[in-house]
Amino acid sequence: MNTLFALVLTIGMTNGEFQDVVVDVYESQQQCEQAAVEQHVTGNCYPVEKIVRADEVPADTTAKF
């Protein structure tokens, strides 16, 4: 199985904090980088395994929808 890559933007908020936002996930780093060019965004492509934290709890397990 190949590694998936996520296109990640870092957003600067008006309160001075920064938030990373995943735009989309791609099957290769090349597809991810090409998507950034096509969308005219300055983002970074990271392997999905690197951005998913092992200690995070999915929202659906703590919130009632």
Side-chain angles (χ1 to χ4, degrees):
M1 182 199 291
N2 293 337
T3 300
L4 297 174
F5 287 84
L7 177 56
V8 178
L9 300 180
T10 300
I11 306 297
M13 298 189 284
T14 57
N15 64 1
E17 294 181 16
F18 292 89
Q19 177 99 26
D20 289 333
V21 179
V22 175
V23 176
D24 209 344
V25 176
Y26 301 91
E27 292 186 18
S28 70
Q29 186 171 4
Q30 182 179 7
Q31 287 177 340
C32 182
E33 291 169 352
Q34 183 63 33
V37 170
E38 290 172 0
Q39 296 178 36
H40 303 285
V41 296
T42 304
N44 295 305
C45 293
Y46 297 111
V48 171
E49 294 84 14
K50 300 282 184 185
I51 62 169
V52 177
R53 296 183 185 103
D55 61 343
E56 288 184 343
V57 178
D60 65 343
T61 62
T62 58
K64 296 185 189 268
F65 292 101

